[in-house]
Amino acid sequence: MAVEKTDDPIEAMLSAQAPDRGDQTDPPANPDDPAPEDPPAEEKPSPEPPKRAAREPRSPPLRPPTHSSLEARLEVRPIGTPLGLRELAALHKRTWKMLNVQEKRVHVLLWPLAIHFGLYNVGAGSERRRPPLIGAFWARCLADAPLTLGHLYPAQLFKGMLASEVFEFGGMVIDPTYQGKGLVKMMSDTARLFVFSRRPKLLITNPIEPLYEMYKQLGLKTVGREPVEHPHAFNVKVWLMYGRFDEMSKPYFM
């Protein structure tokens, strides 16, 4: 700040030595009082979050597959262990009991000499436990075991054939308490698959009366016009049926 010019030299000297206190603030009256704080700065508004883009319309919810590996299903498995044969015997006993049929011991002794196929009901969560046996059948070759009812057939039926060319098919049993579908069809398809895999020149079988029509659909012929008493089981009649592979396979090889 410029000092005003005066003619009095003493006054001019005092004016030059006096400090300029115009820019200084007055000290607080009480030295213990804190210094005044600066006024708070004006708060800035928080930035708004960015707006999200509009969502596309949602797609329909995912649906589970129609067929799952955990759903109940039927599987064909070979039976060749003592446990499997005990389950098979229990199934025969339970099924034939409803028909008032009792097998003789000589018939049961022939079981281990055959190839047994079991139909198991594999349901959800049954991977850790043994699935129940609900159906079965067996087949055996004349070269490996005697025929159960071969002596009831006419001798000329076997003329000119080797033992390895003759198969007996039987033991078909279905659990009567099974409520699912497709068991009979699967039994028929599996039996046909076995016949076409082995291609025996002659196949004989002895179905009980309730299964006669199912065996007839395989293309088998009948010996005689009526069923006969089963020599190895009480209170049961069976049909004597046979088929030659060349004739049975004609509808499939045209």
Side-chain angles (χ1 to χ4, degrees):
M1 180 175 180
V3 179
E4 294 181 0
K5 192 173 181 181
T6 178
D7 296 334
D8 191 354
I10 298 176
E11 186 178 356
M13 182 182 62
L14 295 174
S15 300
Q17 294 179 356
D20 188 3
R21 304 176 61 138
D23 295 336
Q24 294 182 0
T25 58
D26 295 334
N30 190 354
D32 295 334
D33 292 341
E37 297 180 357
D38 296 335
E42 186 178 354
E43 295 184 357
K44 297 182 179 179
S46 58
E48 296 182 359
K51 295 183 179 180
R52 297 182 179 179
R55 292 185 177 180
E56 298 180 358
R58 293 184 178 180
S59 58
L62 296 177
R63 296 182 179 180
T66 306
H67 300 285
S68 172
S69 60
L70 299 180
E71 294 179 356
R73 62 189 185 278
L74 299 177
E75 286 188 4
V76 180
R77 302 179 181 181
I79 301 176
T81 63
L83 176 58
L85 291 177
R86 287 196 298 268
E87 292 176 343
L88 180 60
L91 177 61
H92 270 276
K93 187 176 181 180
R94 182 171 65 252
T95 306
W96 285 31
K97 185 177 182 180
M98 300 183 65
L99 302 175
N100 195 25
V101 175
Q102 183 179 1
E103 290 180 285
K104 292 182 179 179
R105 185 171 180 80
V106 65
H107 192 205
V108 179
L109 289 176
L110 293 175
W111 281 10
L113 302 177
I115 307 172
H116 294 269
F117 301 90
L119 276 76
Y120 292 86
N121 184 20
V122 182
S126 64
E127 288 75 8
R128 296 184 179 180
R129 61 182 178 86
R130 189 175 180 87
L133 178 67
I134 58 174
F137 68 92
W138 54 256
R140 55 175 165 246
C141 179
L142 178 56
D144 301 327
L147 303 179
T148 307
L149 302 182
H151 60 285
L152 299 180
Y153 287 81
Q156 59 269 23
L157 188 65
F158 305 95
K159 187 177 181 179
M161 293 189 183
L162 301 175
S164 59
E165 298 173 335
V166 180
F167 266 81
E168 184 179 15
F169 181 87
M172 185 172 289
V173 60
I174 298 175
D175 190 345
T177 63
Y178 177 68
Q179 301 297 325
K181 297 181 180 180
L183 179 59
V184 175
K185 183 179 184 301
M186 190 170 188
M187 289 276 283
S188 301
D189 293 344
T190 306
R192 185 179 291 109
L193 179 63
F194 171 79
V195 172
F196 275 75
S197 64
R198 293 301 180 96
R199 302 193 178 192
K201 194 171 183 180
L202 176 66
L203 178 72
I204 71 170
T205 184
N206 325 116
I208 59 177
E209 293 179 277
L211 298 178
Y212 173 73
E213 291 297 330
M214 186 174 67
Y215 276 72
K216 193 174 181 180
Q217 294 177 3
L218 296 176
L220 299 171
K221 297 180 180 180
T222 306
V223 175
R225 297 182 179 180
E226 296 179 355
V228 299
E229 294 285 344
H230 198 298
H232 305 314
F234 297 105
N235 302 323
V236 60
K237 289 186 176 182
V238 295
W239 287 90
L240 301 178
M241 305 187 74
Y242 72 96
R244 301 181 186 277
F245 182 78
D246 292 343
E247 299 175 358
M248 296 172 59
S249 60
K250 283 183 180 179
Y252 305 96
F253 299 101
M254 299 181 64

